[in-house]
């Protein structure tokens, strides 16, 4: 990974500038400025890719957490190893009775 980043920062900008110039002659100061501009653009592109991957990972994690909350709300989770029957009572209805375990129903 670090080797790829080193290639992007060190070697690639010079190659891009040489290809873009197509053999034209420019001063050393102009060439260095062009290489620095290409280097800046490449580093920003890599940074943008990292931000996009982070946004994707965050969205995925939020979706997983939301599914877990939905499973808890719908009664698909156990209470210390016992399955809990919430019956028709849901969090949105405001029922005040305690949930019954399956062992109490049998």
């Amino acid at each position: 990974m670090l080797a790829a980043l080193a290639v992007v920062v060190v070697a690639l900008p010079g190659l891009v500038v040489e290809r873009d110039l197509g053999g034209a002659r420019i001063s050393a100061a102009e060439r260095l400025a062009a290489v620095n501009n290409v280097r800046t653009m490449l580093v920003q592109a890599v940074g943008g890719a990292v931000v996009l991957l982070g946004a994707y990972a965050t969205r995925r994690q939020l979706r997983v957490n939301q599914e877990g909350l939905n499973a808890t709300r719908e009664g698909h989770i156990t209470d210390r190893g016992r399955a809990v029957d919430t019956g028709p009572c849901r969090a949105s209805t405001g029922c005040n009775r305690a949930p019954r375990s399956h062992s109490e129903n049998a």
Side-chain angles (χ1 to χ4, degrees):
M1 183 62 146
L2 290 176
L5 186 59
V7 168
V8 167
V9 172
V10 177
L12 194 58
L15 296 172
V16 169
V17 168
E18 288 299 322
R19 179 168 169 82
D20 190 43
L21 290 175
R25 297 279 180 195
I26 60 172
S27 69
E30 290 173 332
R31 185 181 188 288
L32 288 175
V35 168
N36 192 39
N37 288 340
V38 170
R39 184 175 290 127
T40 301
M41 186 267 312
L42 290 173
V43 169
Q44 287 177 345
V46 169
V50 169
V51 167
L52 287 176
L53 287 173
Y56 170 75
T58 300
R59 181 174 182 258
R60 185 170 179 232
Q61 187 62 42
L62 286 173
R63 179 175 287 166
V64 168
N65 289 345
Q66 185 65 39
E67 289 173 2
L69 288 172
N70 289 340
T72 302
R73 187 177 328 132
E74 294 171 4
H76 296 295
I77 198 162
T78 60
D79 179 29
R80 295 184 186 170
R82 298 181 315 230
V84 175
D85 177 22
T86 59
C89 184
R90 299 283 187 247
S92 62
T93 62
C95 295
N96 291 325
R97 67 178 178 83
R100 300 171 303 185
S101 68
H102 285 292
S103 60
E104 294 172 1
N105 293 335

